[in-house]
């Protein structure tokens, strides 16, 4: 069997995700007939049926499901390889750090200062993202290292925990619970988090890829809380940096804490990445 080409995988993934040749062709910027021929050729090359076609619908076979999963992984790897090669070939090298604004437990300025004292330090390029985008950024080649929050850690990355801190609950000042000095999760029954999940489950009920609303920024979250539409569980460091007249922060006795961690690719041999990890661990050790 001849080796598969990236082009073939891209064509197949488009059809498999759209389950419609016309929409897939439009997505790929090509005509439908050559796309149909390419998929038939792929099936002939693999000697297996990947799609069940009728006049009304397109569906994946069992073999198609397997190829879709592996093709996505392969395409992600190809994209990441290209990004890392371009980054490595830059005239002016640098270290790309992925992080979520305000979700650094207040340590980032100290970490950057300590990092710049390292002999292997390079200029740092900050890669901002949503609350669960840091691990994918490292994995797909957009970043070299990341500061991210546990418990959602990526098994494909090496991770070093830095600092664990409690989460608080943010409530509207008009909430009936706002006068309590501390709460329990059961007392939050019936209230929703900004992603729509029940607050009494503690906020760690679904992996990041399944959480809707995870892309909300702090201003949007604060507005939802102040309007009484949601409650929220920020790390204590975030609450300390963002006092708001329209909300209060309260402790929750049985709410799991959150851990800030530094993450990088296991196969990384970059002295700059190693220096950043070393600086992050040293700074965290001074405040724990």
């Amino acid at each position: 069997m001849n080796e598969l080409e990236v082009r073939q995988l891209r064509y197949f993934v488009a059809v498999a995700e759209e389950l419609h040749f016309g929409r897939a062709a439009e997505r790929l910027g090509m005509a439908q007939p050559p796309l149909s021929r390419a998929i038939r050729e792929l099936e002939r090359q693999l000697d297996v049926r990947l799609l069940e076609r009728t006049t009304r619908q397109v569906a994946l076979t069992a073999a198609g499901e397997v190829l879709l999963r592996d093709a996505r992984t392969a395409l992600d790897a190809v994209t990441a390889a290209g990004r890392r090669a371009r980054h490595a070939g830059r005239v002016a090298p640098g270290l790309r750090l992925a992080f979520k604004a305000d979700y650094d437990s207040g340590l980032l300025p100290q970490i950057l200062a300590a990092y710049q004292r390292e002999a292997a330090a390079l200029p740092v390029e900050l890669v901002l993202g949503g609350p669960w985008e840091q691990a994918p950024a490292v994995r797909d080649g957009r970043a070299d290292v990341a500061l991210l929050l546990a418990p959602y850690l990526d098994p494909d990355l090496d991770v070093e925990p830095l600092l664990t801190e409690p989460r608080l609950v943010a409530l509207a000042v008009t909430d009936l619970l706002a006068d309590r000095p501390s709460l329990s999760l059961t007392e939050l029954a019936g209230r929703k988090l900004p992603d729509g999940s029940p607050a009494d489950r503690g906020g760690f009920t679904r992996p990041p890829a399944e959480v809707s609303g995870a892309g909300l920024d702090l201003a949007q979250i604060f507005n939802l809380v102040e309007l009484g539409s949601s409650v929220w569980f920020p790390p204590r460091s975030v609450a300390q940096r963002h006092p708001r007249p329209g909300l209060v922060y309260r402790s929750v006795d049985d709410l799991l804490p959150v851990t800030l961690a530094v993450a990088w690719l296991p196969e990384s041999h970059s002295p700059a990445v190693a220096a950043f990890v070393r600086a992050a661990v040293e700074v965290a050790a001074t405040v724990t």
Side-chain angles (χ1 to χ4, degrees):
M1 182 183 71
N2 294 330
E3 293 184 2
L4 298 179
E5 300 177 2
V6 171
R7 172 185 57 83
Q8 292 175 298
L9 296 181
R10 292 193 191 282
Y11 286 1
F12 173 73
V13 168
V15 175
E17 291 180 344
E18 298 292 343
L19 292 178
H20 190 282
F21 277 85
R23 290 194 298 268
E26 183 177 355
R27 168 174 155 180
L28 293 165
M30 63 187 298
Q32 182 174 334
L35 176 60
S36 297
R37 288 195 298 271
I39 298 300
R40 286 196 300 270
E41 172 58 25
L42 177 60
E43 290 178 317
R44 185 201 64 76
Q45 182 178 337
L46 294 176
D47 193 25
V48 68
R49 183 174 291 278
L50 301 170
L51 301 165
E52 294 290 353
R53 308 163 179 82
T54 69
T55 55
R56 294 188 176 183
Q57 66 178 10
V58 176
L60 286 169
T61 65
E65 293 278 3
V66 170
L67 183 60
L68 176 59
R69 181 195 65 212
D70 292 345
R72 284 170 170 161
T73 301
L75 291 175
D76 287 346
V78 169
T79 300
R83 285 175 176 150
R84 294 191 186 103
R86 284 193 298 272
H87 179 67
R90 285 169 38 173
V91 175
L95 180 81
R96 299 165 299 171
L97 168 64
F99 77 108
K100 166 78 170 70
D102 285 307
Y103 280 66
D104 62 349
S105 298
L107 299 184
L108 184 55
Q110 299 172 64
I111 292 174
L112 292 176
Y115 173 64
Q116 292 305 324
R117 294 193 290 270
E118 291 277 347
L122 296 173
V124 175
E125 176 186 342
L126 300 179
V127 181
L128 288 168
W132 310 117
E133 296 176 2
Q134 289 68 49
V138 174
R139 196 172 56 246
D140 68 18
R142 287 176 290 145
D144 305 300
V145 66
L147 291 176
L148 43 74
L149 296 180
Y152 292 130
L153 300 179
D154 194 307
D156 295 330
L157 302 181
D158 277 346
V159 175
E160 184 68 36
L162 299 177
L163 178 68
T164 298
E165 60 176 323
R167 291 181 296 156
L168 306 179
V169 62
L171 303 163
V173 293
T174 55
D175 194 296
L176 295 177
L177 297 176
D179 291 335
R180 305 275 189 91
S182 64
L183 301 165
S184 66
L185 284 175
T186 57
E187 292 176 287
L188 297 173
R191 291 167 170 80
K192 300 287 187 181
L193 296 175
D195 65 19
S197 63
D200 59 339
R201 296 184 183 176
F204 291 149
T205 58
R206 291 175 289 172
E210 298 178 7
V211 174
S212 61
L216 295 175
D217 60 29
L218 285 184
Q220 292 170 316
I221 291 174
F222 284 139
N223 286 337
L224 289 174
V225 174
E226 289 171 334
L227 291 171
S229 301
S230 302
V231 300
W232 181 44
F233 297 139
R236 181 175 59 190
S237 59
V238 173
Q240 291 172 338
R241 289 199 296 269
H242 294 280
R244 303 270 296 198
L247 58 80
V248 296
Y249 298 105
R250 296 290 181 260
S251 63
V252 182
D253 296 334
D254 48 350
L255 187 62
L256 291 175
V258 68
T259 297
L260 179 72
V262 60
W264 65 98
L265 287 172
E267 61 268 25
S268 173
H269 300 293
S270 166
V273 168
F276 185 89
V277 173
R278 186 163 54 247
V281 171
E282 290 174 357
V283 167
T286 67
V287 295
T288 56

